[in-house]
Amino acid sequence: RDGGGSCDELAHVAFAPVAAVAGRLVVLANGRAKAWNPLDPRGWRTVGGGGVGGVVGTSAQGSCVWRDRLVVAQGRGAGGAGCAVVALQFSEPPTSDDWAAGDWADLGSAATGGAGRGGCDLAVVHDRLYVSGGVDEATHAFDASVARFDYTYRQLDDIFRARAPDDQLRGRATFTAVAALALPQAMHAHSSITVPLMPN
């Protein structure tokens, strides 16, 4: 349910990011972020004022949770080349009546070679954000590269605080390929899983 009505957008969703973020369950359905809060019996709500489909597409996006933020990389249906990456943070606690309010920030492009990364995946390793693999939907070329987000989590705070379109940080973050981490085989539709270090 969404605000007392039905939530048909979740009825036929495939290859969509799903994540637990800051006490809420978030699904990106057809380019719109929907959230469910176990503290609110009224059901699903649309997050942060609407859709991000024009930026990250409608399916096959890569995603991960970076501390208390959801990060999503462009998938199919975005209508643009490259690999746009955006992040969501909730602006209210899950106990608030306005618990679905959120803000999106532009993290730049993860297309280190200029090609698209549909079906890539994202992971956080030692508190740094990485993107792996993907396929360029236009050329059907698969990607074996792994790239790291150039900014730290603290700088991500600065990106969220920036509001002016010409700010030095907002929308200008980039990803840099890390050759030593290249995948043994080019692929998409995969999962990047981080394994904690085991004590001796």
Side-chain angles (χ1 to χ4, degrees):
R1 299 189 152 292
D2 189 359
S6 65
C7 190
D8 295 335
E9 289 175 272
L10 299 179
H12 302 286
V13 174
F15 307 113
V18 178
V21 185
R24 285 144 276 211
L25 181 66
V26 179
V27 177
L28 204 65
N30 300 314
R32 295 178 66 82
K34 311 293 284 188
W36 177 76
N37 182 350
L39 300 179
D40 187 340
R42 292 173 290 181
W44 293 88
R45 290 191 192 177
T46 299
V47 175
V52 292
V55 178
V56 299
T58 56
S59 67
Q61 301 97 339
S63 68
C64 73
V65 175
W66 191 2
R67 297 196 196 179
D68 58 350
R69 291 168 176 149
L70 174 66
V71 183
V72 181
Q74 178 178 322
R76 294 178 178 153
C83 185
V85 180
V86 296
L88 165 71
Q89 71 176 10
F90 286 102
S91 54
E92 299 291 334
T95 53
S96 167
D97 286 341
D98 199 19
W99 60 261
D103 185 29
W104 292 92
D106 176 7
L107 304 191
S109 176
T112 55
R117 281 186 179 266
C120 67
D121 202 25
L122 296 164
V124 175
V125 182
H126 295 304
D127 212 24
R128 295 298 300 270
L129 179 66
Y130 292 82
V131 60
S132 60
V135 63
D136 189 305
E137 297 277 321
T139 64
H140 306 291
F142 286 76
D143 195 332
S145 71
V146 173
R148 183 176 61 215
F149 185 50
D150 289 341
Y151 293 165
T152 65
Y153 189 84
R154 177 173 277 182
Q155 288 171 305
L156 189 58
D157 286 336
D158 295 333
I159 294 171
F160 270 99
R161 278 195 293 267
R163 290 293 176 264
D166 59 348
D167 187 272
Q168 291 184 359
L169 287 176
R170 193 173 180 89
R172 296 191 186 182
T174 58
F175 288 73
T176 301
V178 183
L181 295 179
L183 300 173
Q185 178 177 334
M187 65 180 74
H188 83 305
H190 65 289
S191 294
S192 298
I193 300 170
T194 57
V195 179
L197 293 173
M198 300 296 289
N200 291 332

